[in-house]
Structure formats: structure tokens, C-alpha cells
């Protein structure tokens, strides 16, 4: 896949263009970079099949971007970017990862202090050299030091949603090899953890040599750390490492259990095995030399005296005790979410029209979506005011009428959406929570929506008590149904705002407001631990993609995964309800 490369180059373009004060283009490149990173299909394949036109048809990829992708495919670089790099020989992407460090500051740091990379930055900040530069000062220096610390903590872990497509591709390759009985990605990926350290591929086969050779020769491999019978390690071109373990078919269950982890779960299991006089390893469960189990995970857990459990639960946080007592929850099944309650359109900052998003949701097999464009105080997104919401409501009425008459969809993108009458577009909004906790849309307008959601998008830096008070005040609005992305974090980019999540959960319960699990890959907010707390407190969860383009709707499975990691069952998740029940639930509050 060249997608990762292009995505990085476009991110660099965005930063350089912003350094040069070019209007609009930076945001466009940034958006395209995100879209491309998450794309299922290889851009090279898309180009080979349909040329420039096909590249241009990828959402958010404009004409000149398509040309740059073509250039990269043909000559391995983007000339404009090379020119920019000559002008500012700075590791922009690396520096940009420091929270609070924008392109303008990166430019200034280069001009004044010749700071090229994280190393230079840290040295300068520690030496107090940044504090004395006009326009920067003490506060910026402190922020930079804090940002560097945050970066150190989050390390080089990749976001689940962006790695999953590659992981699945790799699995497929090995499943097709002769002799292979199983090829499975194990480790944190199989547990669907929100970030991934490295990729662990488990292959059971009667032809180990062939699996080994295939692995080290994968097109993504840029270095081989270790190559041997049964295990090899490589570096991939996306900056990640990958491990393969190759075992005989009879060890599949034991190996899968072992390499799925997590480490702490394995340690606890091994203790139980020892107590029973057994030995547990990746080859099987043994008493002395005799193999008691090994072919399947189920038989291993059973022989250890407990129920099998889904990988998402294996975090050594009570799942083993529950499995012994046979009290594990029946987790929310994948595919249970029936509708997406956070979808943006080009009425504000989404990439596609109301009609396109509706069509895409129908094609994706959903039963309903809520349109949640931003509201008026987010002026940079063109947020809607009361009148705008009313106008959008009329547009939604029109679409719903067409759907009900069997006259919507299916014309271009195939049969799945054609003539579906049982789909519904809900009127909603992502209402902005102001600094004092009030909402920026009047209650008289909120009342006319099918579902009301709100979120914090401004004034992130508040003290904990203040921020908690602010959000609790918003939860008390009589029309509010859902609090979106409750902690505001962006994985690897921005820590959550200071907030007392336990107090928010109590207030959500009291005011009958659901908490969102926003499953846009960078957000995953609520995160797994918070989902578990919310569910324990009887607070409902809503799983949304926060889609800003049709392609994003497929992130639902990531939200389902995180909900499962939070021990959520089907009845905890509001949008697993069929539409009539969902609407009845929201109506009850009015
Ligand atoms: P990651 O890669 O940091 O996202 O997390 P994992 O869980 O994928 O960890 P990794 O790649 O180091 O190891 C894969 C699995 O192998 C891990 O989930 C459990 C197993 N494992 C690794 N080290 C140990 C260990 O020291 N003891 C036991 N019992 N299992 C281990
Ligand atoms: Ca791993
Ligand atoms: Ca590993
Ligand atoms: Zn939002």
C-alpha cells in the first residue's frame, strides 16, 4: 500500500503550506491525508484501474492532489514538497506532533533558533531559549515541555482503526498460502485495543519455511530484524514492527491464546494452570508430558475451569473471576448497531451532501442516521443557527418523504439502497457547549429536533472543577439526549480535558443523558475503561462514527469493539435499538 506514504506526504504538505500562509489548501491536504490513511484500497490500484479520474473520485482528494499521487506513483516523490523541504529543512511532521505546536511556531523556531526536530526542540526549551523569543515567551516554552512529555508517554503507538485494514490484508495473504491451516493477527489488534504497539501474526502451517519467506518478503517490509524457524521480526514502511510466529496446526488454540494476551491476563492464567498442576505454554496445556489441550482456545479455558472469553475482555480486570463463576456478560455483538447518531454533512464541515451521506448509510445497511452539523458559535465550520437548523429540517423532511415513497437512492451506487422504505434520517445537531455550560441553540429550536446532542469544542483549557461544572450544567438542559465525545481527547494528539468523569457519569444518569462512544479512530471517546464505568452506573451508551465523509461510516465496528472492551451488552447501547423504540426513548424525556 502506498496510502501510508501519501498520507504522510500530504500531512507534510499541509504543514508547509500553512507555514507559507497559503489559505484553505492546508486544511484540504490535512483532510485528504486522514481520508487516505484510512482508505481500504491501495491508491496505486485505484490509479491503475481508473487513472487520475479515479484518484480524483476518492472523497476529499482534489484534482491537484490526484496529480501529486500520480507523480509519486511515477517518480517516487512529490516535487512541490521537495521544493518546500529545501526551503525549510525541518522535520515538520515530527514537530507537529507536539501538542500546541502549530506551523507558525515551527516556522518561527526554525527562523530564530534553527530548530529542525524534536531533539533540537527539547534542548532549546530546556535551555530557556524559547522563552526569550518575542511572540513565544515563557508560556509557550512551558507548553512545549509539557507537550514533549505527553508525546513520550504515548510513544509510537498507532491507532487501531488505521492499522486494522493492513492487518486484515496480511491475514488474507497468509490464508491463501498452501499448507496454512490458520493465519490470525493476535496481540493487541485481536483484543481491539485502542492503540497498537506492533503487529503479531500467528500462522499454523505444515509448510513453515514458505510462511517465513512470505513474511520477510512482504512489500511493506523495509528491514528484517530477525529471521528464523518459527519466528521472525520485521520493520514495516508505516513505521511499525511486525512479528510472526509459525507453529504446527495442533498448537493453534494454545498459540492463539498465548499471543492474544494481554500479558497480565496470561500471567494470571498461568498461575491457575500451575495451581492445578498443569503447564501452560504456546504449544499447549500439559500435565507432565501429556497434552491436555491445545487445538482450540475453548478447550484450554475449559480445562482451566472457566468459560472461553472474547479477546476484548482479556485485560486482567475481573474477566477471569467472572469466567470461573460463569458470569461473563454476553457482549454487544458486532453488527448490533442499527444507526449512526453523529453524522456531519457539507452543511458544515462534512465532505459530502445530506443526500450522499443518507445514501451511504443506506448502502452500509444502517436503519437510521442523525444529521449532526455544528452550530452557530463554531463559525469556522459554518455552524448552523436556529434558522439554519429549520432549513435543514425541511431538507430532511423531503428526503424522508422520498424514502417513504420508495423513490430515494440506488440510482448510482447499486441496489442496496434502492427503494428501501424503512430508512429514516433524524433531525439533530452537534450543539456547542459554551464556556458557562449553556448550549448555543435556543430550547425552542432544540425542541423541534428528533434528538439533541452537544459537545465541547472550545475553551478546552479549564480547571477540572470548572470543566466538570460546565458539562454537568449542559447535561441539565431538559432537551439534551447525548453528550458527544465526553472527554475531548485525540489519541496521540491531545490529552482529554481536565474532567471528573465519575461526576459526569452520575449527572448523566440523573438527567437521563446518554454518553457517546465516538468511534472516529483518533477519538475513541469514551474510552474502554470509561465505558465500563458508565455501563456499571446504568448510563446508556451511543456508538457513533462522527462521520465527515461516506467512507467513515465503516468505523462503527471500532466503536462496537471498544464497547465490548467496556463490558457493554446490547441493552446498554441505545442505537442498537430499532428506530421506533429509540424514538420512544428520546420522546419520553420531553
Ligand atoms: P502491543 O504490541 O504493545 O500493542 O501489545 P501486545 O499485547 O500485542 O504485546 P506484544 O506484541 O508484546 O506481545 C503479544 C502477546 O504475546 C501479548 O499480548 C501476550 C504475549 N506475551 C508477550 N510477552 C509475554 C510475557 O512475557 N509473558 C506472557 N505470558 N505472555 C507474553
Ligand atoms: Ca503486539
Ligand atoms: Ca509483538
Ligand atoms: Zn464534535
Amino acid at each position: 500500500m502506498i496510502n501510508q506514504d501519501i498520507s504522510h506526504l500530504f500531512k507534510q504538505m499541509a504543514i508547509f503550506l500553512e507555514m507559507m500562509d497559503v489559505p484553505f489548501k492546508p486544511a484540504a491536504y490535512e483532510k485528504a491525508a486522514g481520508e487516505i490513511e484510512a482508505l481500504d484500497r491501495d491508491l496505486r490500484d485505484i490509479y491503475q484501474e481508473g487513472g487520475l479520474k479515479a484518484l480524483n473520485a476518492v472523497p476529499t482528494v482534489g484534482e491537484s492532489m490526484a496529480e501529486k499521487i500520480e507523480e509519486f506513483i511515477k517518480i517516487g516523490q512529490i516535487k512541490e514538497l521537495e521544493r518546500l523541504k529545501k526551503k525549510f529543512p525541518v522535520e515538520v511532521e515530527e514537530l507537529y506532533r507536539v501538542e500546541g505546536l502549530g506551523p507558525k511556531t515551527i516556522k518561527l523556531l526554525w527562523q530564530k533558533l534553527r530548530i529542525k526536530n524534536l531533539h533540537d526542540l527539547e534542548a532549546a526549551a530546556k535551555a530557556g531559549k524559547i522563552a526569550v523569543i518575542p511572540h513565544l515567551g515563557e508560556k509557550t516554552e512551558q507548553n512545549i515541555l509539557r507537550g514533549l512529555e505527553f508525546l513520550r508517554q504515548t510513544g509510537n503507538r498507532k491507532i487501531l482503526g488505521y492499522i486494522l485494514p493492513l492487518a486484515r490484508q496480511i491475514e488474507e495473504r497468509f490464508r491463501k498460502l498452501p499448507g496454512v491451516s490458520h493465519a490470525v493477527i493476535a496481540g493487541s489488534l485481536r483484543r481491539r485495543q485502542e492503540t497498537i504497539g506492533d503487529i503479531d501474526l500467528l500462522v499454523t502451517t505444515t509448510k513453515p519455511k514458505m510462511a517465513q519467506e512470505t513474511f520477510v518478503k512482504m512489500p511493506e517490509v523495509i528491514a528484517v530484524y530477525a529471521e528464523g524457524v518459527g519466528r521472525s521480526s520485521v520493520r514495516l514502511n508505516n513505521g511499525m514492527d511486525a512479528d510472526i510466529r509459525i507453529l504446527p496446526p495442533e498448537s493453534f488454540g494454545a498459540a492463539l491464546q498465548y499471543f492474544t494476551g494481554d500479558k497480565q491476563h496470561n500471567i494470571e492464567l498461568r498461575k491457575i494452570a500451575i495451581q492445578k498442576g498443569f503447564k501452560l505454554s504456546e504449544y499447549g496445556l500439559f500435565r507432565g508430558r501429556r497434552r491436555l489441550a491445545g487445538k482450540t482456545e475453548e478447550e484450554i479455558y475449559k480445562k482451566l475451569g472457566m468459560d472461553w472469553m472474547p479477546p476484548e475482555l482479556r485485560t486482567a480486570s475481573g474477566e477471569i473471576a467472572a469466567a470461573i463463576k460463569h458470569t461473563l456478560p454476553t457482549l454487544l455483538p458486532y453488527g448490533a448497531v442499527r444507526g449512526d447518531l453523529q453524522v456531519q454533512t457539507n452543511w458544515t464541515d462534512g465532505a459530502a451532501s445530506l443526500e450522499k451521506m443518507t445514501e451511504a448509510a443506506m448502502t452500509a445497511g444502517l436503519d437510521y442516521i442523525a444529521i449532526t452539523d455544528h452550530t452557530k458559535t463554531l463559525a469556522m465550520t459554518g455552524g448552523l443557527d436556529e434558522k439554519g437548523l429549520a432549513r435543514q429540517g425541511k431538507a430532511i423532511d423531503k428526503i424522508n418523504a422520498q424514502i417513504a415513497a420508495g423513490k430515494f437512492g440506488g440510482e448510482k451506487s447499486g441496489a442496496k439502497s434502492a427503494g428501501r422504505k424503512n430508512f429514516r434520517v433524524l433531525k439533530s445537531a452537534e450543539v456547542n457547549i459554551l464556556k458557562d455550560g449553556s448550549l448555543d441553540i435556543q430550547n425552542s429550536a432544540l425542541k423541534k429536533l428528533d434528538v439533541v446532542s452537544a459537545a465541547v469544542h472550545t475553551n478546552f483549557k479549564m480547571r477540572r472543577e470548572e470543566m466538570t461544572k460546565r458539562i454537568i450544567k449542559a447535561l441539565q438542559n431538559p432537551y439534551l439526549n447525548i453528550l458527544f465525545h465526553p472527554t475531548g481527547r485525540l489519541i496521540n494528539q491531545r490529552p482529554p480535558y481536565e474532567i471528573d468523569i465519575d461526576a459526569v457519569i452520575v449527572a448523566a444518569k440523573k438527567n437521563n443523558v446518554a454518553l457517546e462512544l465516538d468511534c472516529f479512530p483518533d477519538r475513541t471517546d469514551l474510552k474502554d475503561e470509561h465505558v465500563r464505568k458508565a455501563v456499571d452506573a446504568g448510563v446508556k451508551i451511543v456508538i457513533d462514527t462522527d462521520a465527515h465523509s461516506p467512507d467513515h461510516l465503516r468505523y462503527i465496528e471500532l466503536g462496537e469493539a471498544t464497547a465490548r472492551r467496556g463490558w457493554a451488552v446490547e441493552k446498554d447501547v441505545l442505537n442498537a435499538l430499532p428506530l421506533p423504540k429509540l424514538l420512544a426513548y428520546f420522546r419520553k424525556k420531553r
Side-chain angles (χ1 to χ4, degrees):
M1 288 257 252
I2 60 166
N3 298 11
Q4 293 284 339
D5 297 320
I6 298 285
S7 170
H8 284 294
L9 296 175
F10 277 15
K11 274 181 203 161
Q12 293 168 21
M13 284 291 296
I15 302 167
F16 280 123
L17 289 170
E18 189 148 352
M19 283 163 72
M20 315 270 299
D21 271 322
V22 177
F24 307 116
K25 274 191 181 177
Y29 271 101
E30 176 91 42
K31 216 170 192 176
E35 187 76 23
I36 288 167
E37 186 170 28
L39 207 62
D40 263 342
R41 293 194 55 212
D42 195 349
L43 285 172
R44 193 193 300 271
D45 295 343
I46 295 177
Y47 177 69
Q48 271 156 10
E49 268 168 39
L52 268 178
K53 220 172 137 197
L55 288 177
N56 199 191
V58 174
T60 72
V61 171
E63 215 165 297
S64 85
M65 293 184 206
E67 279 164 14
K68 292 193 174 62
I69 298 170
E70 179 183 48
E71 198 178 7
F72 181 83
I73 290 170
K74 285 189 171 154
I75 64 170
Q77 54 168 278
I78 296 173
K79 283 195 196 129
E80 186 181 343
L81 182 61
E82 296 305 314
R83 275 194 296 276
L84 289 164
K85 276 186 186 164
K86 277 221 181 83
K87 199 161 173 181
F88 299 106
V90 175
E91 297 294 332
V92 285
E93 220 185 333
E94 179 179 310
L95 289 173
Y96 193 62
R97 283 174 59 209
V98 179
E99 204 227 335
L101 203 53
K104 297 279 149 56
T105 310
I106 293 173
K107 182 176 170 188
L108 205 57
L109 289 170
W110 162 248
Q111 288 169 336
K112 301 280 182 194
L113 297 167
R114 287 291 181 253
I115 289 174
K116 281 185 171 178
N117 50 36
L118 287 179
H119 183 264
D120 297 348
L121 181 71
E122 180 160 14
K126 283 195 169 150
K129 286 184 182 164
I130 295 170
V132 297
I133 306 260
H135 304 299
L136 294 177
E138 185 74 33
K139 204 169 157 209
T140 309
E141 189 167 274
Q142 287 308 316
N143 279 341
I144 286 174
L145 285 169
R146 228 173 297 137
L148 284 166
E149 181 54 33
F150 176 68
L151 203 59
R152 223 187 321 276
Q153 285 165 16
T154 52
N156 196 26
R157 302 184 64 83
K158 302 277 177 184
I159 295 171
L160 172 68
Y162 299 137
I163 301 307
L164 208 50
L166 173 66
R168 285 179 170 149
Q169 228 180 35
I170 291 177
E171 265 179 355
E172 275 315 304
R173 276 180 210 155
F174 282 85
R175 280 180 187 158
K176 283 187 204 137
L177 282 187
V180 166
S181 53
H182 285 98
V184 183
I185 298 285
S188 49
L189 267 159
R190 181 163 181 248
R191 301 194 311 276
R192 298 290 191 267
Q193 197 172 300
E194 64 186 34
T195 61
I196 305 300
D198 74 353
I199 298 176
D200 301 287
L201 173 65
L202 169 66
V203 175
T204 53
T205 176
T206 52
K207 297 186 192 307
K209 192 83 189 149
M210 182 183 280
Q212 177 189 333
E213 277 166 10
T214 306
F215 185 70
V216 297
K217 286 192 187 132
M218 293 194 300
E220 296 84 3
V221 171
I222 56 169
V224 178
Y225 296 132
E227 186 178 358
V229 187
R231 64 196 310 167
S232 302
S233 287
V234 297
R235 180 83 166 181
L236 305 179
N237 60 3
N238 66 357
M240 286 186 99
D241 295 340
D243 293 337
I244 190 172
R245 287 297 305 256
I246 304 167
L247 284 113
E250 63 272 19
S251 293
F252 174 66
L256 183 61
Q257 194 291 312
Y258 183 92
F259 293 113
T260 297
D262 69 9
K263 191 171 164 182
Q264 207 51 42
H265 174 90
N266 283 359
I267 290 171
E268 286 192 15
L269 270 198
R270 188 160 337 145
K271 269 192 212 148
I272 291 172
I274 290 168
Q275 281 164 14
K276 291 184 184 293
F278 303 156
K279 185 175 168 286
L280 178 63
S281 76
E282 61 266 51
Y283 298 98
L285 183 67
F286 298 89
R287 180 193 279 133
R289 286 230 179 117
R290 203 163 82 83
R291 183 204 293 268
L292 302 174
K295 256 200 158 122
T296 67
E297 280 192 333
E298 281 81 355
E299 61 178 20
I300 287 179
Y301 282 105
K302 193 164 167 218
K303 281 272 173 358
L304 290 173
M306 65 187 82
D307 295 335
W308 177 87
M309 68 202 83
E312 296 90 332
L313 290 183
R314 302 182 197 170
T315 55
S317 50
E319 75 280 7
I320 292 178
I324 291 171
K325 284 187 283 176
H326 309 294
T327 57
L328 283 169
T330 304
L331 297 182
L332 174 83
Y334 283 105
V337 168
R338 294 167 188 253
D340 195 332
L341 299 181
Q342 189 183 170
V343 173
Q344 274 74 220
T345 72
N346 61 8
W347 280 62
T348 57
D349 64 350
S353 66
L354 185 52
E355 290 76 13
K356 272 236 168 72
M357 293 307 286
T358 302
E359 168 100 38
M362 290 171 94
T363 305
L366 295 177
D367 294 339
Y368 48 88
I369 49 170
I371 302 300
T372 53
D373 279 301
H374 289 291
T375 50
K376 61 187 173 194
T377 47
L378 285 188
M380 74 271 193
T381 66
L384 304 177
D385 61 6
E386 285 79 358
K387 279 189 188 145
L389 284 173
R391 248 186 304 121
Q392 188 179 57
K394 289 213 176 98
I396 291 174
D397 284 337
K398 200 172 133 199
I399 292 179
N400 280 329
Q402 288 172 342
I403 293 171
K407 286 182 183 150
F408 183 87
E411 281 167 37
K412 287 192 201 111
S413 50
K416 266 200 179 163
S417 62
R420 260 191 79 182
K421 292 183 181 173
N422 56 351
F423 186 92
R424 172 92 175 265
V425 185
L426 301 179
K427 295 171 200 166
S428 189
E430 178 172 12
V431 184
N432 197 23
I433 299 175
L434 300 173
K435 199 174 176 192
D436 67 355
S438 60
L439 305 185
D440 75 342
I441 294 292
Q442 297 189 0
N443 284 352
S444 55
L446 297 181
K447 214 156 122 180
K448 292 178 188 146
L449 302 175
D450 296 311
V451 39
V452 177
S453 298
V456 166
H457 289 99
T458 45
N459 301 100
F460 289 109
K461 293 218 160 83
M462 282 167 81
R463 283 185 306 116
R464 188 175 155 100
E465 307 87 273
E466 266 186 308
M467 185 58 104
T468 306
K469 230 169 93 186
R470 172 187 182 186
I471 290 182
I472 289 175
K473 165 125 193 267
L475 294 176
Q476 288 164 346
N477 179 294
Y479 295 100
L480 187 67
N481 300 117
I482 310 170
L483 177 66
F484 278 172
H485 42 76
T487 74
R489 63 108 173 236
L490 293 174
I491 300 175
N492 293 352
Q493 287 176 52
R494 183 174 77 201
Y497 30 73
E498 298 287 337
I499 190 183
D500 178 349
I501 192 76
D502 297 305
V504 169
I505 287 172
V506 168
K509 175 72 186 164
K510 193 163 158 212
N511 294 288
N512 188 19
V513 174
L515 297 181
E516 185 188 48
L517 194 182
D518 185 314
C519 55
F520 200 82
D522 309 69
R523 287 194 181 269
T524 317
D525 180 8
L526 296 177
K527 64 170 168 169
D528 46 14
E529 290 165 42
H530 292 163
V531 171
R532 192 160 170 191
K533 281 186 171 187
V535 163
D536 276 346
V539 170
K540 299 289 183 198
I541 301 295
V542 169
I543 297 174
D544 298 329
T545 64
D546 202 347
H548 283 68
S549 102
D551 190 51
H552 296 156
L553 290 168
R554 65 192 168 82
Y555 292 144
I556 286 277
E557 64 161 326
L558 303 172
E560 290 170 338
T562 299
R564 287 163 64 86
R565 288 180 59 83
W567 293 53
V569 303
E570 191 157 345
K571 73 166 180 36
D572 296 318
V573 178
L574 271 188
N575 53 339
L577 287 173
L579 181 67
K581 287 203 170 137
L582 180 85
L583 291 177
Y585 186 93
F586 290 142
R587 235 177 273 124
K588 246 189 350 217
K589 188 164 174 174
R590 297 285 167 90

